[in-house]
Amino acid sequence: MNKIYQYDYIIIGAGIIGLTLAKELISKYPQRTIAILEKEEDVAKHASGLNSGVLHAGFYYTSDSLKARFCVQGNQLMKSFCKENNIPVNQCGKVVVAANDEELKGLYELEKRGKKMVLMLS
Ligand SMILES: Cc1cc2nc3c(=O)[nH]c(=O)nc-3n(C[C@H](O)[C@H](O)[C@H](O)COP(=O)(O)OP(=O)(O)OC[C@H]3O[C@@H](n4cnc5c(N)ncnc54)[C@H](O)[C@@H]3O)c2cc1C
């Protein structure tokens, strides 16, 4: 007869989202059990292990959106996580340029969003 396993939580997928969810659940409910089901032989075999590793600033989203807020918060949380775990972060900043007058309008909009982000952080 097959053995039956029981868990409080089952997470499908061991990418950054699944693993972060597991980490949060463990720290909130250390007594509960979690199973992570992954179809590959290791974690982060897809997008999470193959991405460019950029901590996005969030100004490509409209500044009042949840995406912008989460991006800014996530950026800070990830930097703290890296610091606590001695993971180097190259804080090189970002340069956004306009190649013509038309693009300049977009650049002013990004500047506006960036300034709102700074207010959000303060
Ligand atoms: C080329 C590229 C560059 C990127 N660059 C950046 C960047 O610079 N900065 C940034 O913030 N984001 C970047 N991203 C986005 C970022 O990588 C993803 O948003 C993030 O990794 C998604 O994580 P995830 O856990 O949702 O998905 P995934 O990492 O894809 O994890 C999903 C997991 O679920 C597993 N799975 C799927 N189906 C099943 C199943 N039926 N049963 C069991 N397991 C299953 C998969 O095997 C996989 O391990 C980039 C993405 C790509 C593709």
Side-chain angles (χ1 to χ4, degrees), residues 12-17 37-40 46-48 51-54 56:
I12 301 172
I16 189 77
I17 298 295
L37 306 182
E38 172 53 57
K39 67 180 169 61
E40 306 294 351
H46 291 275
S48 300
N51 69 37
S52 320
V54 174
H56 291 293

Side-chain angles (χ1 to χ4, degrees), residues 4-5 7 15 17 27 31 38 40 52 72 76-77 80 85 97 99 106 114:
I4 294 175
Y5 294 91
Y7 299 93
I17 298 295
S27 59
Q31 72 291 355
E38 172 53 57
E40 306 294 351
S52 320
V72 171
Q76 293 190 316
L77 288 170
S80 310
N85 292 281
V97 296

